[in-house]
């Protein structure tokens, strides 16, 4: 099975963590449909950790907690599928999950069969309590094999926190996406750190196996497990989402979809940003200014002869972000220039093939989709 676009959906962890239950999963699925998120492309509804009993059943299989998931996984899976959505679940490559539920180490084949039997379409596979003597590459590879032998198409989302130089070997295991960072929190420094940590790693992301900088905190508004009241507002969410799209990331929403504000819905369904994120070629952006600048600019080749140009201000002071075309190989004598359209405001810039300095308010960004024109 090959995946050719970074997956889009919702995951329970950021908001619900240990408080997950079948009601909030159903309500998340309902909200995905009612808000138009499904029609914008979000399709997976993923239950993260804390869905199972702490012991396996007498048959050695994982058992959903009957108090929090009384209807069972088949009923929940049917419900999610009846909404035109796909069903995701969670397990761990270690002996236990991060919260102490049974992990799938050495139980990969029986667990994959259980997940397939529940109609699972996506498996997030974590890395806690991993035996010191075991080899991560072998374990992720074994689960990929186990999923394949079920005969069901199941997206395999590896999640080892970016450890063990995972970017160098994960593609060989059969995983379709892999976490290349630690856990995100709802703070601007965490968002930036997640992105900046990929400077040397984003090149490994490509169709078939995508980098995953973690679930989105867009619209959490301080509520939930990873919520930090007051530390992110609409500007920080906008920059967070723009960065994830520019870096071609899986878009797994983590907020409470039942209470998503209209501004956040508008952001999450921005057609141009989603077009950049889901671009078929998934090319890494090129930093087109002084590398590591706190007001950086980026250029990204897209398919269909288009490209994206983005200006960020990571600082707390308004100022200009510079774009140096020569850093992307474009010269003023080339006879072509960039015609740019901003994805939030529709503002048009260009044609231009010379130094461009744009004013960007603190923590904000400007993102353009561009086309080449003769000059
Ligand atoms: C790890 C993962 C998180 C989440 C928790 C669940 O920390 O990185 O995304 O799945 O485990 O326990």
């Amino acid at each position: 099975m090959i995946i050719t676009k970074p997956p889009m959906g919702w995951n329970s962890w950021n908001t619900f963590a240990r408080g997950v239950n079948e009601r909030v999963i159903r309500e998340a699925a309902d909200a995905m449909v009612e808000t138009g998120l499904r029609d914008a492309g979000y399709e997976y509804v993923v239950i993260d950790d804390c869905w199972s009993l702490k012991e396996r059943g007498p048959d050695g299989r994982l058992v959903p907690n009957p108090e929090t998931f009384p209807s069972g996984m088949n009923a929940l899976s049917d419900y999610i599928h009846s909404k035109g959505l796909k069903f995701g679940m969670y397990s761990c490559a270690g002996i236990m999950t991060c919260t102490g539920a049974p992990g799938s180490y050495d139980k990969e084949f029986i667990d994959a069969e259980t997940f397939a039997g529940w109609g699972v379409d996506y498996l997030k596979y974590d890395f806690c309590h991993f035996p010191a003597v075991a080899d991560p590459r072998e374990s992720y590879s074994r689960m990929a094999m186990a999923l394949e032998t079920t005969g069901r198409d199941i997206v395999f989302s590896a999640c080892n926190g970016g450890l063990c130089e995972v970017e160098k070997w994960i593609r060989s295991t059969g995983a379709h996406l892999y976490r290349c960072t630690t856990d995100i929190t709802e703070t601007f420094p965490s968002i930036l750190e997640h992105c900046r940590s990929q400077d040397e790693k984003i090149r490994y992301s490509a169709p078939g196996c995508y980098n995953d900088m973690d679930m989105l905190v867009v619209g959490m508004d301080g509520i939930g497990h990873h919520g930090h009241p007051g530390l992110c507002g609409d500007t920080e969410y906008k920059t967070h989402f723009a960065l994830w799209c520019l870096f071609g990331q899986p878009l797994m929403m983590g907020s409470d979809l039942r209470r998503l504000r209209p501004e956040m819905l508008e952001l999450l369904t921005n057609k141009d940003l989603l077009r950049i994120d889901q671009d078929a070629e998934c090319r890494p952006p090129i930093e087109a200014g002084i590398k590591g600048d706190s007001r950086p600019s980026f250029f990204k080749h897209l398919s269909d002869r288009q490209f994206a140009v983005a200006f960020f201000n990571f600082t707390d002071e308004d100022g200009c972000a510079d774009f140096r075309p020569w850093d992307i190989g474009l010269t003023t004598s080339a006879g072509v220039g960039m015609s740019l359209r901003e994805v939030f405001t529709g503002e048009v810039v260009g044609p231009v093939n010379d130094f461009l300095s744009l004013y960007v308010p603190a923590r904000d960004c400007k993102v353009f989709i561009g086309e080449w024109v003769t000059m």
Side-chain angles (χ1 to χ4, degrees), residues 165-181:
E165 298 191 307
V166 60
E167 67 279 2
K168 296 192 178 153
W169 49 264
I170 193 71
R171 176 174 283 269
S172 69
T173 67
H176 298 113
L177 62 155
Y178 68 100
R179 268 283 286 287
C180 47
T181 63

Side-chain angles (χ1 to χ4, degrees), residues 11 13-14 48-50 90 97-99 124 126 128 159 161 179 181-183 214-215 226:
N11 174 299
W13 185 253
N14 281 2
D48 207 283
D49 202 356
C50 305
Y90 165 100
T97 73
C98 305
T99 62
K124 174 173 169 182
D126 216 335
C128 284
C159 176
R179 268 283 286 287
T181 63
T182 53
D183 288 6
D214 204 359
M215 283 113 39
H226 279 323

Side-chain angles (χ1 to χ4, degrees), residues 66-300:
E67 278 174 25
T68 47
F69 290 88
S71 315
M73 289 303 170
N74 282 112
L76 191 52
S77 169
D78 288 348
Y79 186 78
I80 289 168
H81 288 143
S82 76
K83 298 257 158 186
L85 296 165
K86 292 183 175 164
F87 180 39
M89 288 201 73
Y90 165 100
S91 188
C92 183
I95 289 159
M96 289 185 289
T97 73
C98 305
T99 62
S104 294
Y105 182 75
D106 209 21
K107 302 274 190 295
E108 290 85 356
F109 286 85
I110 190 174
D111 288 353
E113 198 188 283
T114 302
F115 291 133
W118 289 338
V120 165
D121 307 297
Y122 181 109
L123 179 69
K124 174 173 169 182
Y125 202 50
D126 216 335
F127 194 59
C128 284
H129 302 287
F130 192 73
V133 292
D135 181 310
R137 182 180 188 148
E138 283 172 17
S139 290
Y140 278 96
S141 178
R142 191 158 55 243
M143 183 48 104
M145 287 174 210
L147 293 171
E148 275 184 21
T149 55
T150 66
R152 187 174 172 86
D153 280 346
I154 300 177
V155 172
F156 184 30
S157 165
C159 176
N160 86 329
L163 300 171
C164 316
E165 298 191 307
V166 60
E167 67 279 2
K168 296 192 178 153
W169 49 264
I170 193 71
R171 176 174 283 269
S172 69
T173 67
H176 298 113
L177 62 155
Y178 68 100
R179 268 283 286 287
C180 47
T181 63
T182 53
D183 288 6
I184 197 168
T185 56
E186 194 198 1
T187 66
F188 199 52
S190 173
I191 290 165
L192 296 187
E193 196 275 320
H194 271 62
C195 201
R196 278 306 197 191
S197 72
Q198 297 310 295
D199 281 354
E200 299 301 324
K201 296 183 184 165
I202 193 67
R203 70 183 70 149
Y204 293 98
S205 193
C209 187
Y210 294 94
N211 278 27
D212 172 7
M213 303 194 308
D214 204 359
M215 283 113 39
L216 297 164
V217 296
V218 170
M220 285 186 68
D221 291 340
I223 293 173
H225 176 67
H226 279 323
H228 286 280
L231 293 184
C232 280
D234 289 10
T235 305
E236 287 82 1
Y237 294 140
K238 175 185 168 190
T239 295
H240 169 30
F241 193 62
L243 283 168
W244 261 235
C245 291
L246 192 71
F247 279 67
Q249 291 301 297
L251 299 177
M252 286 291 168
M253 300 175 290
S255 54
D256 186 346
L257 300 182
R258 301 168 302 183
R259 40 174 299 284
L260 209 51
R261 289 180 289 113
E263 296 81 1
M264 296 298 99
L265 258 182
E266 200 181 322
L267 176 64
L268 290 163
T269 56
N270 182 299
K271 281 198 168 58
D272 292 317
L273 286 178
L274 294 180
R275 180 258 181 276
I276 295 171
D277 182 80
Q278 299 280 292
D279 187 67
E281 296 179 17
C282 187
R283 300 196 183 272
I286 304 168
E287 196 157 350
I290 297 161
K291 212 161 164 34
D293 198 355
S294 52
R295 294 195 186 98
S297 66
F298 295 90
F299 175 91
K300 179 186 174 78

Side-chain angles (χ1 to χ4, degrees), residues 356-372:
L356 187 58
S357 188
L358 290 190
Y359 173 83
V360 187
R363 297 188 168 193
D364 208 340
C365 63
K366 288 185 174 171
V367 181
F368 297 86
I369 292 212
E371 297 197 357
W372 299 114

